[in-house]
């Protein structure tokens, strides 16, 4: 047949005894998996896990770079929703800078406000961003830098009656919310708010839109409460009062009803908004007020910035942090962001720098060969498998801390222990049942107001 | 009078204010008064002033005019209007007011309902009644809610609704939390496989070569798309006649049926459990094969020879394969069963016989070289006398043979062939088993029994012999007559002590008890000698080790010296009893000179060196002692709480009473059985090893419920060394995969297929679940791991 002929001809033409280099060097040897031939699997894997853990600690160099250029403390930051390499930051002197992370350079500087830039957020499409400042204004800016000869001017400026302390943009619509004396929800096209939500009179420090159920808002005020709002009905929903003031909160981007609040009492509280009576989890490790919190885009972890000059990474379901980052020169960290590709963490601190960290301290950056990747995965699994073994745990959990934090931790441990002992003694010497046991999670909640 | 014919009006006069309706307060019925005629005559004298009507009528008799008028009135009162008037008038109340209805007496209050009662049947008053009921039913108008309250209500409603809306994500969230693996970003562009036709149709031949090829293909109607058959091919396919196809199909069907039938048959036969059936089957097969072979032999001797060779080949293969060597699974199971099952024992023996048969050929070849072998055997045999045979199994170190056990065993074999021809077979087996160190205990036990039996038989025989004729046994052993039974006994002890480890342990432990004093040994030995003939087995079991060891050493020395005759008396002087016991076989079996010569020629005898080096170093005994010590140390000690002087006299030299000791000496419960109880060669320390503990997990980690689970998780290896590539990849996939440079957007309804529909409808959630409080992750149960 002609077809066969053709085929054979084709083969004859194209047959080149091609042999790849890898095949020559790596001859596939059939392997015998008989367990008798490979004894001591547990001790061998244990040793591998130990080595992997040690290597992880050896390679744990999370600090990547520092972006300097601000002339005052960095007060707020915003991620670009579409571009991973762009980050915006606002300083205490009213200056806003736009950074290119790949170049690690500032690409644009705007004198946006007089006094602090209190808050900033990017529009969901990434074409513009909003800033609020101490000068009682809300300004909308273009993301692109102006043409040559063009003035650096905002697209819109809204003059308010009171100082705005925070701003957040809706995730899908042309709506943004500001907070100050009240929570205002604005249409982008109008100069007066669509609606103002109040519940009590106190300055509200931060407001955040829920990224999943986008009509939901959460805010925290300086009278120690966290208030939830529904934009559809323009009504507040519920208020929970904690022992101390909450500085800011952040919604979990993968779990619609979960948010985490960064509190002045050194703790973070993860709440399920349906059950505000007690938080889902109390995350404690910081030794000073927690100033900012941001979720990783996978929703499995979050990063918190604290007044104790460190940032910590917490798993959502764990009460303690898995990682702490600090440098000698980093002062009080005011703002922190987790980049949208889940790889990096940015933190802005008092001493005018923005620092770029790896989210996974020992991760190798860049392209990995498949074998390398397989080895990494295997090591990761081994570390997980043997994580409970004391020697491995000791190595895996070892972190260096600056002396101040270390001492404070020790001090606080002593204090906590003393408090616990006192309570225990009280309970022991009082009528049985008269001093009920209050769980750690309920301790910090003062009241829930309907 | 017309009115007389009228029946009395039952509701004539009723006082509405009284509880008893239709009755006057005096208790007199008023209705007769409405009928004057009757009332007149009936009026009782005692009627009090309360019955106003009656008295009025009575008094009116005097005045006719008044009477008449009254009558008129009474008559007219028959109509409703008048009646009420009349009733009012008859009321004895002084305070009648037009604004007020008052009731007198008993301080009772007027109730509206009572007032209303009489007018019920009256339709004329229905409007009033309605109004009155309305008044009664109307409540006070509520005050409007305060602003705060109203806001609160709104808030609560909104909260309930919002939390319900948010609760739709519950399932998704739980799913994500539990997911084995999450790949971000969640919305992946799925690479769709485009059908080939589309690709081909979209693709156009551009280069001249391509065009040429396509032209060719088109010209010959080569298929480019799906049905990969040329028109000719399809035509040829169709050309196959129907008849042919049918036939073919039928054939195929038949073949399939037959095949399935045979399969079923084979399966059925294989399933038959009857041993007898299989045995018969096997036998018949064998017979058949034999017959065939015979036939072949007759018809075609060459072919038969070839077949024989083949068989020989098979035999060789089998020999090499070690198939019949008691090591297989079957053999082991038989060994276990053999204890109880005669048949199993027989099967085992059969197997052993077969093994011997298979290995026979080597033996057959041997006799040709025999002349050269004999002196060798003699040479090796020199070691035998030096070692009391009984000790050989007990302590391999004391044997002093560097060349390995095989030779020794052979020699022993030879020895036993001489001495106990009956036991040869069993001993051979035994030795084989000794070679295999992984012999199971059951096997050992079984062989024990066999040996014991043989020993017993031999003893009986020897005793008989002794009793009957001493000289018969002597000729083999030139020496003292009475010692013969002891030699037999010695051999018996060989039988006992050699194979099984368990018994070895017992023996050794017994030895330990005796080591301590020489007097004991002597006494025992003398006792033994007295009782020897009565309890031979016992005596052998109790034979003291040190004596034996000494003897051994001496014997070795003697061997080195070469001059045995000279040494003998000295030996006897030292331990006369033992020499008497064990000396004879030496004399019997090493008379040959070459032994000495050889040793002298060799110069350095390794055996001698080793025995010298380890002289008096009884490792096994040391080990048992050590083990004994460890066992003693591990035993829980009684706690002594006895305080002298409490409750009784105290002082120096006074012992607390037995009662007290009994009371205050606390016995701990017995320790659990040791793990090395049945392992004679092992000491297992059951104390916690601190150095190992530093690497061990002390607490059961959270997700695990039992320590077995955790241990299981640790035990399963993950690495590629133990797993296939695929399994390795599967086992090591990370839980979260992110791609660098890809923005992960927050979860949205489009990402979740089942959420998209519910989100589309918006207000109505698909799942109306009352939100359940999730299990708090903080409260972890902590349990101690073992």
């Amino acid at each position: 047949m002609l077809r066969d002929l053709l085929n054979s001809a084709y083969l004859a033409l194209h047959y080149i005894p091609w042999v790849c280099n890898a095949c020559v060097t790596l001859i596939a040897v059939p392997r015998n998996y008989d367990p008798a031939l490979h004894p001591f699997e547990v001790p061998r894997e244990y040793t591998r896990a130990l080595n992997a853990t040690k290597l992880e600690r050896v390679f744990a160099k999370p600090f990547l770079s520092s972006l300097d250029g601000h002339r005052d403390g960095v007060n707020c930051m915003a991620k670009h929703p579409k571009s991973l390499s762009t980050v915006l930051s606002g300083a205490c002197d009213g200056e806003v800078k736009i950074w290119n992370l790949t170049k690690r350079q500032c690409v644009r500087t705007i004198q946006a406000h007089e006094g602090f830039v209190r808050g900033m957020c990017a529009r969901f499409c990434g074409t513009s961003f909003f800033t609020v400042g101490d000068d009682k204004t809300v300004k909308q800016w273009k993301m692109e830098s102006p043409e040559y000869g063009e003035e650096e001017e905002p697209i819109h400026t809204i003059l308010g009656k009171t100082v705005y302390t925070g701003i957040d943009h809706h995730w899908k619509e042309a709506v943004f919310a500001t907070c100050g004396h009240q929570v205002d929800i604005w249409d982008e096209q109008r100069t007066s708010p669509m609606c103002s939500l109040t519940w009590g009179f106190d300055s509200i420090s931060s407001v955040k839109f829920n990224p999943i159920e986008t009509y939901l808002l959460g805010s925290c005020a300086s009278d120690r409460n966290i208030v939830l709002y529904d934009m559809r009905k323009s009504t507040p929903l519920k208020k929970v009062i904690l022992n101390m003031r909450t500085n800011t909160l952040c919604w979990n981007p993968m779990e619609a009803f979960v948010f985490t609040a960064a509190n002045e009492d050194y703790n973070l509280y993860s709440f399920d908004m349906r059950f505000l009576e007690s938080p889902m989890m109390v995350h404690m490790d910081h030794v000073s007020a927690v100033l900012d919190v941001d979720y990783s885009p996978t929703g499995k972890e979050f990063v918190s910035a604290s007044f104790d000059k460190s940032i910590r990474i917490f798993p959502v379901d764990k009460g303690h942090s898995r990682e702490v980052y600090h440098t000698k020169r980093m002062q009080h960290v005011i703002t922190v962001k987790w980049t949208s590709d889940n790889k990096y963490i940015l933190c802005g601190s008092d001493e005018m720098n923005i620092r770029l960290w790896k989210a996974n301290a020992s991760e190798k950056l860049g392209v990995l060969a498949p074998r390398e990747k397989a080895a990494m995965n295997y090591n990761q699994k081994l570390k997980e498998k043997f994580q409970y073994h004391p020697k491995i745990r000791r190595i895996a959990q070892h972190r260096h801390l600056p002396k101040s934090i270390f001492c404070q931790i020790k001090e606080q441990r002593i204090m906590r222990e003393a408090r616990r002992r006192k309570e225990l003694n009280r309970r022991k010497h009082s009528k049985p049942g008269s001093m009920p046991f209050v769980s750690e999670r309920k301790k910090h909640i003062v009241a829930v107001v309907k | 009078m017309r009115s007389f014919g009228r029946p009395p009006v039952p509701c004539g006069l009723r006082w509405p204010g009284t509880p008893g309706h239709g009755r006057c307060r005096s208790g007199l019925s008023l209705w007769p008064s409405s009928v004057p005629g009757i009332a007149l005559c009936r009026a009782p004298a005692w009627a009090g002033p309360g019955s106003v009507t009656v008295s009025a009528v009575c008094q009116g008799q005097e005045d006719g005019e008044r009477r008449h008028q009254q009558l008129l009135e009474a008559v007219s009162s028959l109509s409703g209007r008048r009646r009420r008037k009349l009733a009012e008038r008859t009321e004895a109340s002084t305070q009648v007011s037009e604004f007020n209805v008052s009731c007198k007496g008993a301080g009772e209050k007027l109730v509206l309902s009572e007032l209303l009662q009489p007018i019920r049947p009256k339709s004329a008053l229905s409007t009033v009644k309605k109004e009155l009921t309305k008044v009664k039913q109307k409540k006070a108008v509520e005050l409007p809610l305060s602003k705060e309250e109203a806001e609160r209500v709104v808030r609560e409603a909104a909260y309930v609704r919002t939390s319900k809306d948010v609760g739709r994500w519950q399932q998704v969230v739980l799913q994500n939390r539990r997911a084995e693996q999450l790949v971000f970003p969640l919305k992946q562009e799925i690479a769709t496989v485009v059908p080939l036709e589309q690709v081909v149709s979209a693709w156009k031949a551009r280069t001249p070569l391509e065009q040429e090829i396509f032209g060719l293909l088109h010209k010959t109607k080569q298929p480019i798309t799906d049905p990969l058959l040329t028109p000719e091919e399809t035509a040829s396919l169709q050309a196959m006649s129907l008849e042919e196809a049918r036939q073919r199909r039928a054939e195929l069907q038949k073949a399939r049926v037959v095949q399935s039938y045979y399969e079923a048959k084979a399966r059925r036969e294989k399933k038959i459990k009857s041993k007898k059936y299989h045995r018969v089957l096997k036998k018949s097969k064998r017979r058949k094969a034999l017959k065939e072979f015979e036939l072949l032999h007759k018809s075609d001797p060459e072919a038969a020879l070839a077949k024989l060779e083949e068989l020989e080949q098979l035999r060789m293969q089998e020999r090499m394969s070690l198939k019949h060597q008691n090591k297989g699974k079957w053999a082991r199971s038989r060994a276990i069963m053999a204890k109880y099952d005669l048949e199993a024992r027989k099967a085992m023996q059969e197997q052993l016989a077969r093994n011997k048969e298979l290995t026979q050929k080597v033996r057959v070849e041997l006799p040709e070289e025999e002349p050269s072998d004999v002196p060798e055997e003699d040479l090796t045999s020199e070691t035998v006398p030096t070692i009391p045979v009984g000790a050989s199994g007990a302590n391999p170190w004391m044997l002093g043979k560097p060349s390995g056990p095989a030779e020794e065993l052979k020699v022993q074999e030879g020895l036993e062939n001489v001495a106990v021809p009956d036991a040869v077979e069993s001993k051979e087996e035994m030795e084989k088993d000794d070679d295999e160190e992984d012999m199971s205990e059951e096997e050992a036990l079984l062989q024990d029994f066999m040996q014991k039996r043989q020993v017993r038989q031999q003893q009986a025989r020897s005793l008989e012999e002794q009793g009957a004729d001493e000289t018969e046994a002597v000729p083999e052993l030139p020496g003292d007559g009475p010692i013969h039974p002891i030699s037999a006994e010695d051999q018996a002890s060989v039988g006992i002590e050699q194979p099984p480890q368990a018994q070895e342990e017992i023996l050794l432990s017994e030895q330990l008890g005796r080591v301590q004093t020489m007097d004991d040994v002597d006494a025992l030995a003398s006792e033994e000698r007295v009782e020897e003939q009565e309890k031979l087995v016992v005596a052998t079991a109790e034979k003291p080790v040190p004596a034996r060891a000494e003897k051994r050493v001496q014997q070795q020395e003697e061997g080195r010296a070469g001059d045995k005759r000279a040494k003998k008396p000295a030996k006897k002087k030292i331990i006369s009893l033992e020499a008497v016991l064990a000396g004879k076989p030496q004399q019997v079996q090493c008379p040959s000179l070459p032994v000495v010569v050889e040793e002298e020629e060799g110069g350095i005898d390794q055996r001698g060196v080793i025995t010298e080096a380890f002289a008096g170093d009884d490792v096994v005994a040391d080990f048992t002692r050590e083990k004994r010590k460890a066992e003693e140390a591990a035993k829980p000690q009684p706690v002594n709480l006895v305080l002298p002087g409490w409750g009784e006299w105290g002082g120096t030299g006074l012992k607390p009473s037995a009662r007290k000791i009994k009371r205050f000496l606390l016995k701990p419960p017995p320790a659990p059985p040791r793990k090395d109880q049945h392992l004679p060669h092992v000491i297992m320390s059951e104390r916690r090893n601190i150095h190992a503990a530093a690497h061990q997990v002390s607490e059961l980690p959270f997700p695990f419920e039992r320590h077995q689970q955790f241990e299981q998780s640790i035990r399963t290896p993950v690495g590629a060394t133990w797993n296939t590539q695929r399994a390795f990849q599967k086992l090591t996939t990370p839980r979260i995969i992110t791609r660098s440079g890809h923005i992960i957007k927050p979860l949205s309804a489009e990402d979740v297929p089942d959420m998209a529909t519910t989100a589309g409808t918006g207000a109505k959630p698909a799942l109306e679940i009352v939100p359940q409080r999730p299990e708090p992750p903080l409260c972890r149960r902590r349990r101690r791991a073992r």
Side-chain angles (χ1 to χ4, degrees), chain B residues 398-534:
Chain B
M398 299 302 279
L399 287 175
K401 46 171 175 102
S403 55
E407 256 182 40
E408 239 286 317
L409 291 166
K410 243 184 235 168
V411 172
Q412 280 183 6
E413 220 172 282
L415 218 183
E416 281 145 20
N417 275 330
V418 176
V420 200
D422 294 22
V424 169
E425 262 193 32
S426 66
K427 292 235 166 106
E428 271 179 3
E429 285 170 28
M430 264 161 34
E431 278 140 24
K432 218 172 286 152
D433 286 336
D434 267 8
D435 285 355
E436 308 160 5
E437 289 195 357
D438 55 339
M439 180 182 62
S440 65
E441 281 189 9
E442 277 80 5
E443 236 171 303
L445 273 174
L446 180 71
Q447 282 165 357
D448 254 8
F449 289 135
M450 285 170 70
Q451 280 152 18
K452 273 181 187 167
R453 217 179 304 131
Q454 283 163 358
V455 165
R456 237 174 281 134
Q457 285 169 3
Q458 275 173 28
Q459 280 161 5
R461 209 177 300 149
S462 64
L463 278 171
E464 275 170 33
E465 280 174 336
Q466 201 189 10
D469 184 11
E470 286 182 8
T471 49
E472 266 189 31
V474 172
E476 279 184 359
L477 325 164
D480 307 326
I483 289 155
H484 167 74
I486 298 158
S487 73
E489 169 224 307
D490 216 338
Q491 279 159 355
S493 74
V494 174
I496 292 171
E497 284 186 33
Q498 260 187 341
Q501 295 171 340
Q503 203 158 3
E504 183 183 271
E505 187 197 10
I506 296 161
L507 283 175
L508 286 168
S509 68
E510 276 176 340
Q511 284 164 5
L512 268 174
R514 300 289 148 85
V515 173
Q516 288 150 0
T517 57
M518 274 307 267
D519 297 354
D520 283 352
V521 176
D522 283 339
L524 246 183
S526 60
E527 272 172 42
E528 267 174 26
R529 207 197 268 162
V530 175
E531 293 169 0
E532 248 165 42
Q533 286 165 4
E534 290 144 29

Side-chain angles (χ1 to χ4, degrees), chain A residues 23 26 36 42 100 199 214 218 279 288 319 339 368 377 383 387 390 408 437:
Chain A
C23 298
L26 307 171
V42 176
N100 187 332
W199 190 354
T214 44
S288 195
T339 57
L368 294 179
N377 289 346
K383 278 183 264 174
Q387 63 185 327
Q408 265 176 304
F437 180 81

